[in-house]
Amino acid sequence: MTKRSSKQSSSAEPDPQSPQEIAPSKKAGKKATTPAPKKGATGAGNFAKADWKEGFKKKQAGVTDMTLLSTISNEAINENLQKRWTNGEIYTYIGSVLISAILNTYRGKNRLEVPPHVFSIAESAYYNMQAYKENQCVIISGESGAGKTEAAKRIMQYIAAVSGGQDSSIKEIKDMVLATNPLLESFGCAKTLRNNNSSRHGKYLEIMFNDNGEPVGAQITNYLLEKGRVVGQLDNERDFHIFYQFTKGASDAHREMFGLQGPESYAYTSRSNCLEVQGIDDVADFNETLKAMNIIGLSQQEQTEILRMLAIILWLGNVQFSELEDGNARVDDTGVTDFVAYLMEADGAQVAKVMTSKVVETQRGGRRAAAGRDALSKAIYNNLFEWIVSRINVSMAPRAAHSRLIGVLDIYGFEIFQNNSFEQLCINYVNEKLQQIFIELTLKTEQEEYVREKIKWTPINYFNNKIVCDLIEERRPPGIFAALNDACATAHADPAAADSSFVQRLSALSSHAHFEPRGEKFVVKHYAGDVTYDIPGMTDKNKDALIKDLLDLVATCGNPFLASLFSERPDPNSKKRPPTAGDKIKGSAGALVENLMRAQPAYIRTIKSNQNRSPTEYDSKAILHQIKYLGLQENIRVRRAGFAYRNTFEKMIERFYLLSSETSYAGEYIWQGDARSGCERILKDTGIAKEEWQMGVTKAFIKNPETLFALETMRDRYWHNMAARIQRAWRNYQRYRNESATRIQRFWRNNKEGIEYAKIRDRGHELLGGRKERRRFSLLSYRRFMGDYLEVGSRNALGELIHGVCNIGAEPVAFSSRIQLLVSKQFRSSKPSPRYLVLTEKAVYIVSNTVRDGQTTLFLERKITLITIRGFAMSNLRDDWVALNLTSSEEGDPVFSCYFKTELLTWLSELTREPLMIEYAKKKDKKQLIKFTKDETILKNDVYKSHVVSVQSGEPPGSLSRPPAKRKAGQVRPITKGKLLRKGGPSTDSRSAPKPKAQPLPGSSANVRPIGGGPSTTTPARQSVPPPPPPPAAEPDVPLYKALFDFVGQEGEMSLKKDELVEVVEKDDNGWWLVSKESQEGWAPSNYLELVPPKPKPAPRSPPTTARRPPPGTPASTVSAISKPAVKSIVSVTSVTADVNARPVSVFPGMASGNGSATPWKKAGAPTTSPSAGSGRATPPALAPKPKPPTPPAPGGRAAVPGRLSGSVTPSAPPRPAAGGAKVGGGVGQMDLAAALARRAQRSEE
């Protein structure tokens, strides 16, 4: 119920984002001026600075919800409304009924959080539609001029703003819905004595929504246009707005096309002497109307035809008649009829004839001709209006499937004029039907439901207006509409006779308590007051039919649009009486009531503050009258004593079962009791006081809306908390994943260079493996082949000098180190001298330093291009001496001692990409031998003297790098960032409380989805025989090996006992296999193991047979021989790239592998088949001795050079595998240096 002074005060469309423009100060008493914006206020699109004053509520005048009044009486209600109106508060609640603000203020808020407003009702309707999956409607009722149309516009504006949707079609639907307001206001509203923008038609707008709450379509239903206003109005009233807009705002082209003039030139628009209205700009409104037509989708041709129909109506009004002496009529000015015929594309003489003649003879020619003219004008306008509504519905047709809708009813208000006719009777009848709906749903049905549900209740008396509705619409006994139809049927030719017959028939209703006959008038005692209706002309208005001559004229005209407006013509041969206007309005009202009853209603009761359209006048007497006939007192009593919300147990559980741990688990319904007990458990677990709810027979009742809002808030908080938990878990997962990736990346960055160095180191092991004793410090696990030890490539101080001396340029430096070069001197034995050696991709540089004038100077002593190097020579002892075998050179072959000899030779092999042959020439064509002897007295390195190198015994020739040292046990740094991750990382403990079984929701026939998340399945109900027991678990097809002898392993090896079973993880080609036993891995000799033959698999078990239903026959199956499982071969690889999906392993030299496997660049060589040990051996075999390399024949009878690799020493102890999984001995691709030397020597002699 909205207190409004008039619609004039709010005719301008407010900006929903502008509080000043729609502040209630424009419509009520004290707040007549809008305060100026404060200094420093932000502009559009910016956020205003928070104000501490916002934390204090505005002092309220009266009560916002009149169910809280201490005294319930009409006078108390009137006093509260006057207080709020005086304070500028024009909205007040009665429970959920608004007695009629800012749009964003009300979004997502319940009505207790914000002051009363139309937006709050719209928000509740939209929220309930989405939350409860039910259609909603808003019924706006009240007197004419009380603000119904403005309230309807605000509701549509709010729903369009909050319904969301980014799709272009959804935005288009929203724009169309809002565009219907100016379009239908122009064609359906007019100025009356009480309202400057009075709706002269009824409109029910239904907005369709999809499952996401987005509008996908709309539909408008039109009710009873007051078409009589087209041809006549009372003084100081106006015709429909569109006529004044068209005549004032039409373009020059339209004026020329339609011969258009000002509104003062037309009889229909000028006879009431009201061409201008304060606050209405007809030209601006006409532009808005044309804009709305474009938004709706009307083409330019359709818009032109609409304006043509308006011009025809205006010019028809200017056709004047004069009565002839014989009683017939003639047209005073045939030029007007000719122009009308031009617009209709018809013959002018035919138009004049139809206007003045009729088949039925009559003695009132002039009067009847004017009536025929007006009837044609009214029919054209009425059909045009209906065509516009249907065209709007075509444009707003649903673009997709819709599931719910919200209806907004904007219909004419109750009218009591000095002269009331058929139009007022129809309007007031529809208002009686709306009042009946209000009574049925808020008073009568509610009290009956309390009795039916056995709820404690004290009955409240109220006036039921059904008796008035029956007085107007009943057929047995005949009501007012039935009597009117009978009068039209018995005296259809003469309107006066029909009116007299109507008076006689109304006498039968004289005994009715709400009817009073008064000659040619009668009084109906409506719920809003007594209304006196004038009978003359009622029967003619009820007929609502054109004469045949006018219909023929329209049908034969050349304008197809005009002809289409009258496409539905009554069948002249039909004996059935065509429907009258009373029949149509009764049918429309019945359909409207049926539509409204199918939706959940919300009510807005508008109250008119005065009859003078004054924004400052409060007519207490008139408002008190409206309070009484609207039944607000009874409504307040029912709302206060009743229950604000009720729903079935099933619906309550479906909505709120998440709020109790007894009824929900992980979002699933788990309550195993009935719906009533489940609903009661929910209300108890949520902590709601017992006096706030009652349990009926089939429904639960909640007394106060605050309780319902609390339940909704708890439900929203539940989803919010669940979303927060999911987000927190996801963030923890992302954080855990990122931290894990960071650790992996950090480890890889720290070790990727070491991997490359380790690869070069392993190539050095392959180069010298089994051919030369190794120094102990060369086999340290953390020993890496860094290459450029003098940092010539990185340009430190010394490296910069060497780089400049060698003039290397942009060549990359592969190796640099200090060496002891063997320098031969004349008449003296050679002597080691310090030098710098640099290796690039093209040459070997030997740099020396001299002291001149007290300063040390570097100079390039020798440059050896790589293409001149044919090979190198080394002893098989642990010394560091190397001889580079060059092609013919005057300087001879360089012989030097280098600590990093293995690395140097590896880089030489890599850069030359050819096998290096071993030979040594002291000078050109002069050979010299160097003898290498073992001397255990040498404590460090080796000693050179007179072509004899003495060196201590070294590590065996087949030795590799030591296994990585065990890292010091440190504190593990688990990823525990996040509340859901326990200390130590994610928990793997699966021990938890058993999950309850999900139950179907009450009233739901859908299959229950398991809590685990899998799809629901249905199982057959009948099970006559229990299922057979499950077959035993199949043994894994993993080959097992049996130990033939006892074996005591060392570090990194697996100790075995005889007949013990182990699983082979990896087979290496050096006689050692990686085996697994009891989750431990280690190396074991392959000839100590024997494959255990696998057991044959048993035949599949046949299911038991039953006499009731034998199973299908199973063919006999035979057990096929199980072939010996293939053994995985280790494929030789030269380099291995990192696998991002593999689990992390230790790849940095000196760091043990985390999973016990070999480092990825140490995979085994070519696949080989290892022999299995025989079962009949009595003694354990030898542990895989290393095979001797082939001995080449002496080329040309030459003696072998002492100390060459061709004479390698057999190791005394059998080689054992490294703990890290490194192989012993050379793999595929290893160079046989002795054989290469022999072949090269043979070719040179040839």
Side-chain angles (χ1 to χ4, degrees):
M1 182 172 14
T2 310
K3 298 178 298 177
R4 298 290 298 270
S5 59
S6 67
K7 293 186 182 177
Q8 176 186 0
S9 60
S10 58
S11 58
E13 183 76 17
D15 184 0
Q17 306 299 331
S18 175
Q20 289 81 11
E21 292 190 15
I22 62 173
S25 60
K26 289 188 176 182
K27 307 177 181 65
K30 290 184 177 179
K31 298 181 181 178
T33 59
T34 301
K38 293 183 179 180
K39 183 178 180 180
T42 57
N46 298 327
F47 293 99
K49 185 178 179 180
D51 188 0
W52 63 271
K53 297 179 181 179
E54 295 177 358
F56 297 88
K57 289 187 176 181
K58 173 187 173 182
K59 184 177 180 180
Q60 295 182 351
V63 294
T64 59
D65 192 335
M66 289 195 292
T67 58
L68 304 178
L69 287 174
S70 57
T71 302
I72 302 176
S73 64
N74 293 328
E75 290 73 15
I77 297 172
N78 188 15
E79 181 182 357
N80 183 70
L81 293 178
Q82 185 171 7
K83 286 181 181 179
R84 293 180 60 76
W85 180 88
T86 305
N87 196 48
E89 304 290 343
I90 65 173
Y91 297 107
T92 308
Y93 286 122
I94 297 179
S96 61
V97 180
L98 177 65
I99 302 184
S100 206
I102 316 306
L103 189 147
N104 288 331
T105 305
Y106 290 81
R107 180 177 301 189
K109 303 291 183 61
N110 62 61
R111 67 178 183 85
L112 298 181
E113 298 179 279
V114 286
H117 198 276
V118 176
F119 288 162
S120 181
I121 295 295
E123 170 65 27
S124 298
Y126 182 72
Y127 177 84
N128 293 337
M129 179 197 69
Q130 288 191 285
Y132 301 103
K133 308 301 181 184
E134 295 176 340
N135 296 336
Q136 305 290 318
C137 69
V138 181
I139 303 175
I140 310 172
S141 60
E143 285 192 6
S144 177
K148 298 182 299 300
T149 300
E150 290 299 315
K153 289 163 62 176
R154 298 296 166 266
I155 291 175
M156 289 185 282
Q157 178 187 29
Y158 184 86
I159 292 176
V162 303
S163 54
Q166 300 298 324
D167 189 77
S168 59
S169 62
I170 293 176
K171 293 182 178 180
E172 187 179 9
I173 288 295
K174 291 182 180 181
D175 294 339
M176 287 184 182
V177 169
L178 296 179
T180 59
N181 290 321
L183 181 58
L184 294 183
E185 279 188 13
S186 297
F187 284 87
C189 295
K191 178 191 179 301
T192 64
L193 294 176
R194 299 183 177 180
N195 187 2
N196 288 347
N197 189 35
S198 177
S199 295
R200 310 316 300 163
H201 72 108
K203 176 183 68 175
Y204 183 57
L205 172 65
E206 294 175 307
I207 307 176
M208 295 99 169
F209 297 86
N210 58 17
D211 292 334
N212 298 327
E214 300 167 344
V216 295
Q219 181 178 350
I220 295 177
T221 305
N222 176 48
Y223 299 100
L224 188 65
L225 177 71
E226 187 191 11
K227 58 185 177 182
R229 180 167 293 273
V230 175
V231 298
Q233 312 90 32
L234 298 177
D235 288 343
N236 205 27
E237 290 190 347
R238 293 210 313 180
D239 208 332
F240 290 101
H241 293 324
I242 188 61
F243 290 108
Y244 302 92
Q245 297 173 5
F246 181 43
T247 54
K248 293 180 181 180
S251 64
D252 295 337
H254 287 155
R255 292 185 180 278
E256 182 178 356
M257 182 184 304
F258 305 129
L260 205 59
Q261 303 175 23
E264 67 281 355
S265 302
Y266 299 99
Y268 286 163
T269 56
S270 61
R271 64 177 52 175
S272 62
N273 299 320
C274 183
L275 301 178
E276 300 290 340
V277 179
Q278 184 179 2
I280 294 181
D281 187 348
D282 292 316
V283 176
D285 291 345
F286 183 66
N287 294 328
E288 288 295 323
T289 302
L290 295 179
K291 180 180 177 181
M293 288 183 180
N294 293 326
I295 294 175
I296 294 297
L298 294 176
S299 64
Q300 291 298 323
Q301 178 64 26
E302 291 174 328
Q303 296 181 30
T304 301
E305 294 299 331
I306 291 174
L307 299 180
R308 182 186 299 274
M309 296 303 107
L310 298 178
I312 291 175
I313 294 172
L314 290 173
W315 284 107
L316 278 176
N318 285 1
V319 176
Q320 302 297 322
F321 305 95
S322 58
E323 189 171 353
L324 301 176
E325 296 180 357
D326 57 359
N328 294 324
R330 66 178 179 85
V331 178
D332 290 343
D333 186 0
T334 57
V336 178
T337 56
D338 291 340
F339 193 76
V340 171
Y342 158 75
L343 296 176
M344 297 175 62
E345 300 181 26
D347 182 62
Q350 181 67 19
V351 172
K353 179 181 178 182
V354 170
M355 291 290 177
T356 56
S357 64
K358 190 179 179 182
V359 175
V360 179
E361 294 183 1
T362 175
Q363 299 300 322
R364 293 173 290 274
R367 189 175 65 181
R368 296 306 300 163
R373 174 203 61 197
D374 294 343
L376 179 60
S377 300
K378 291 187 293 184
I380 292 176
Y381 191 81
N382 182 77
N383 292 357
L384 175 64
F385 187 83
E386 292 182 352
W387 182 90
I388 292 175
V389 173
S390 64
R391 181 63 178 80
I392 291 174
N393 289 336
V394 170
S395 298
M396 297 192 305
R399 311 295 173 84
H402 64 279
S403 55
R404 298 289 178 266
L405 58 86
I406 295 178
V408 181
L409 179 63
D410 174 23
I411 206 164
Y412 20 64
F414 198 90
E415 293 184 347
I416 306 177
F417 297 140
Q418 184 175 359
N419 297 315
N420 303 286
S421 185
F422 179 75
E423 293 82 4
Q424 281 68 44
L425 176 64
C426 294
I427 290 173
N428 294 339
Y429 162 70
V430 173
N431 279 271
E432 288 283 358
K433 295 294 288 186
L434 295 180
Q435 176 69 7
Q436 186 181 9
I437 294 177
F438 183 80
I439 292 174
E440 285 283 340
L441 296 180
T442 61
L443 300 175
K444 181 176 179 293
T445 304
E446 186 160 352
Q447 296 195 70
E448 290 176 353
E449 186 176 33
Y450 294 152
V451 175
R452 185 170 58 254
E453 292 288 332
K454 300 180 181 180
I455 299 296
K456 296 179 182 179
W457 174 255
T458 302
I460 296 175
N461 297 325
Y462 60 91
F463 169 68
N464 192 343
N465 73 326
K466 185 178 184 301
I467 186 173
V468 180
C469 294
D470 293 342
L471 168 65
I472 300 174
E473 67 182 4
E474 275 297 315
R475 303 185 63 180
R476 297 290 185 273
I480 296 176
F481 281 155
L484 193 58
N485 290 340
D486 292 342
C488 293
T490 55
H492 61 277
D494 191 352
D499 291 343
S500 300
S501 176
F502 180 47
V503 172
Q504 295 175 2
R505 294 177 186 276
L506 289 178
S507 60
L509 301 174
S510 59
S511 60
H512 198 283
H514 293 269
F515 182 82
E516 181 181 345
R518 294 183 181 178
E520 290 189 348
K521 298 182 180 181
F522 63 91
V523 178
V524 177
K525 298 179 180 179
H526 292 280
Y527 76 96
D530 298 348
V531 181
T532 302
Y533 297 98
D534 298 329
I535 294 178
M538 269 198 177
T539 55
D540 198 24
K541 295 176 181 179
N542 186 49
K543 289 178 184 179
D544 194 31
L546 285 177
I547 62 176
K548 182 177 180 300
D549 297 340
L550 293 176
L551 291 175
D552 292 340
L553 172 64
V554 173
T556 57
C557 71
N559 188 294
F561 183 81
L562 178 60
S564 66
L565 297 181
F566 293 87
S567 57
E568 298 180 2
R569 294 184 56 179
D571 186 4
N573 299 323
S574 176
K575 297 182 179 180
K576 185 178 180 181
R577 177 178 60 84
T580 61
D583 295 333
K584 293 178 182 179
I585 192 61
K586 190 169 73 171
S588 299
L592 174 62
V593 170
E594 185 178 354
N595 289 335
L596 296 178
M597 295 294 284
R598 286 200 299 261
Q600 295 298 320
Y603 303 95
I604 298 179
R605 312 285 279 183
T606 57
I607 291 180
K608 193 173 183 180
S609 59
N610 60 79
Q611 301 296 333
N612 301 323
R613 301 194 300 273
S614 171
T616 59
E617 181 181 348
Y618 188 91
D619 190 344
S620 180
K621 183 178 180 181
I623 292 177
L624 183 61
H625 174 67
Q626 296 176 68
I627 291 172
K628 290 180 179 179
Y629 76 67
L630 289 175
L632 299 186
Q633 179 180 346
E634 293 80 4
N635 190 12
I636 293 173
R637 292 183 183 275
V638 172
R639 288 291 174 179
R640 172 178 277 188
F643 294 85
Y645 177 79
R646 78 287 317 272
N647 215 330
T648 61
F649 300 140
E650 293 78 12
K651 288 289 186 180
M652 284 285 294
I653 288 178
E654 181 180 352
R655 182 67 181 168
F656 300 114
Y657 76 90
L658 297 169
L659 303 184
S660 172
S661 59
E662 298 291 333
T663 57
S664 69
Y665 178 86
E668 298 288 348
Y669 178 69
I670 62 172
W671 184 255
Q672 299 182 358
D674 58 358
R676 190 180 193 278
S677 60
C679 182
E680 191 170 0
R681 169 53 58 188
I682 293 172
L683 294 175
K684 288 181 179 179
D685 289 351
T686 50
I688 299 176
K690 184 65 179 69
E691 58 271 13
E692 286 294 324
W693 54 274
Q694 285 192 40
M695 306 298 290
V697 178
T698 61
K699 294 182 179 181
F701 291 79
I702 295 178
K703 189 171 185 61
N704 293 319
E706 293 85 349
T707 304
L708 177 63
F709 297 150
L711 288 173
E712 291 290 348
T713 302
M714 285 187 280
R715 185 179 184 274
D716 293 340
R717 188 181 299 119
Y718 175 89
W719 288 121
H720 175 78
N721 293 340
M722 289 299 102
R725 291 184 63 184
I726 294 173
Q727 292 169 355
R728 184 165 64 249
W730 174 254
R731 287 193 294 268
N732 285 336
Y733 165 73
Q734 290 288 90
R735 190 182 300 113
Y736 193 94
R737 188 178 70 171
N738 294 339
E739 178 65 20
S740 300
T742 301
R743 292 188 181 187
I744 294 172
Q745 293 167 358
R746 185 189 307 121
F747 181 84
W748 177 253
R749 285 193 299 268
N750 293 339
N751 294 276
K752 63 179 181 180
E753 295 181 359
I755 294 174
E756 298 300 325
Y757 297 142
K759 289 180 181 179
I760 301 174
R761 181 188 68 184
D762 291 343
R763 287 197 290 270
H765 291 329
E766 294 178 1
L767 189 66
L768 302 181
R771 289 166 174 77
K772 184 175 177 61
E773 292 183 0
R774 312 296 302 277
R775 289 193 298 114
R776 182 167 56 90
F777 287 104
S778 297
L779 303 179
L780 293 177
S781 61
Y782 53 82
R783 168 73 171 92
R784 295 175 295 178
F785 283 6
M786 302 296 294
D788 189 9
Y789 294 98
L790 301 179
E791 300 184 7
V792 176
S794 58
R795 308 289 184 89
N796 67 347
L798 177 61
E800 184 72 24
L801 292 175
I802 297 175
H803 190 279
V805 168
C806 297
N807 194 20
I808 295 175
E811 295 182 40
V813 177
F815 179 83
S816 65
S817 176
R818 299 175 185 269
I819 63 172
Q820 293 288 330
L821 181 66
L822 189 61
V823 180
S824 62
K825 297 184 178 181
Q826 192 172 13
F827 307 114
R828 292 177 57 185
S829 62
S830 300
K831 182 180 179 181
S833 178
R835 297 289 188 275
Y836 300 113
L837 184 143
V838 179
L839 173 63
T840 66
E841 292 181 348
K842 296 181 179 180
V844 175
Y845 301 89
I846 298 177
V847 179
S848 179
N849 58 349
T850 59
V851 178
R852 296 177 181 177
D853 300 332
Q855 293 183 352
T856 302
T857 304
L858 299 180
F859 66 94
L860 179 63
E861 180 177 329
R862 188 173 183 181
K863 177 180 179 181
I864 305 172
T865 58
L866 297 185
I867 58 176
T868 63
I869 300 177
R870 295 185 302 166
F872 60 89
M874 299 177 68
S875 74
N876 58 0
L877 301 183
R878 52 148 286 182
D879 60 277
D880 298 327
W881 287 89
V882 179
L884 295 182
N885 180 233
L886 308 179
T887 57
S888 179
S889 174
E890 293 292 340
E891 301 179 40
D893 296 342
V895 180
F896 53 87
S897 174
C898 179
Y899 286 142
F900 308 112
K901 58 184 179 306
T902 306
E903 186 172 355
L904 171 62
L905 298 181
T906 303
W907 279 112
L908 279 173
S909 176
E910 288 289 325
L911 295 176
T912 57
R913 302 186 183 280
E914 292 183 1
L916 298 177
M917 311 307 294
I918 300 177
E919 191 172 349
Y920 168 49
K922 184 175 182 181
K923 288 187 179 180
K924 185 177 181 181
D925 301 328
K926 182 179 180 181
K927 307 296 181 184
Q928 180 67 43
L929 298 180
I930 299 177
K931 184 178 179 181
F932 294 83
T933 62
K934 283 188 177 182
D935 187 354
E936 303 301 333
T937 62
I938 304 299
L939 300 180
K940 185 179 179 182
N941 301 331
D942 52 55
V943 176
Y944 173 86
K945 186 175 182 181
S946 301
H947 292 85
V948 176
V949 175
S950 302
V951 64
Q952 189 183 23
S953 299
E955 297 294 321
S959 300
L960 296 179
S961 295
R962 295 286 184 263
K966 293 184 178 180
R967 301 185 66 184
K968 181 180 179 181
Q971 184 178 3
V972 180
R973 296 186 299 110
I975 303 172
T976 57
K977 298 178 181 179
K979 297 181 180 178
L980 295 184
L981 295 180
R982 298 183 178 90
K983 184 177 181 180
S987 175
T988 57
D989 187 10
S990 59
R991 295 174 298 175
S992 59
K995 297 179 180 179
K997 183 179 179 181
Q999 303 291 332
L1001 286 171
S1004 174
S1005 59
N1007 295 327
V1008 180
R1009 180 173 61 87
I1011 294 180
S1016 60
T1017 57
T1018 58
T1019 56
R1022 51 193 181 90
Q1023 184 77 22
S1024 59
V1025 180
E1035 297 181 359
D1037 294 335
V1038 178
L1040 299 178
Y1041 289 79
K1042 182 176 66 174
L1044 300 177
F1045 312 98
D1046 292 339
F1047 174 73
V1048 179
Q1050 300 178 8
E1051 182 180 1
E1053 299 173 350
M1054 178 68 71
S1055 298
L1056 301 177
K1057 294 183 179 180
K1058 186 178 180 180
D1059 298 331
E1060 190 174 21
L1061 298 179
V1062 294
E1063 177 186 346
V1064 175
V1065 178
E1066 180 180 340
K1067 292 185 177 182
D1068 215 335
D1069 59 350
N1070 57 4
W1072 292 87
W1073 289 357
L1074 183 64
V1075 298
S1076 173
K1077 180 182 68 174
E1078 297 178 355
S1079 303
Q1080 295 183 356
E1081 293 183 355
W1083 293 92
S1086 60
N1087 51 3
Y1088 275 51
L1089 302 175
E1090 182 184 35
L1091 177 65
V1092 179
K1095 298 179 180 180
K1097 295 183 179 180
R1101 195 171 186 177
S1102 301
T1105 58
T1106 59
R1108 184 168 182 266
R1109 186 177 180 182
T1114 304
S1117 59
T1118 60
V1119 181
S1120 60
I1122 301 178
S1123 60
K1124 184 176 181 180
V1127 179
K1128 289 185 178 180
S1129 300
I1130 307 303
V1131 181
S1132 173
V1133 292
T1134 57
S1135 64
V1136 177
T1137 57
D1139 183 5
V1140 296
N1141 296 318
R1143 59 175 176 170
V1145 295
S1146 175
V1147 296
F1148 187 72
M1151 186 177 296
S1153 301
N1155 57 358
S1157 63
T1159 49
W1161 63 87
K1162 293 183 180 180
K1163 293 301 178 183
T1168 58
T1169 304
S1170 300
S1172 300
S1175 59
R1177 294 181 180 177
T1179 58
L1183 296 179
K1186 185 70 180 178
K1188 295 181 180 181
T1191 303
R1198 296 169 57 187
V1201 180
R1204 290 187 179 178
L1205 294 183
S1206 58
S1208 60
V1209 181
T1210 304
S1212 59
R1216 293 183 179 270
K1223 301 186 300 291
V1224 177
V1228 174
Q1230 178 177 336
M1231 289 174 28
D1232 192 338
L1233 300 180
L1237 177 61
R1239 288 193 298 270
R1240 185 177 181 89
Q1242 185 177 4
R1243 286 197 301 269
S1244 62
E1245 289 185 358
E1246 293 176 353

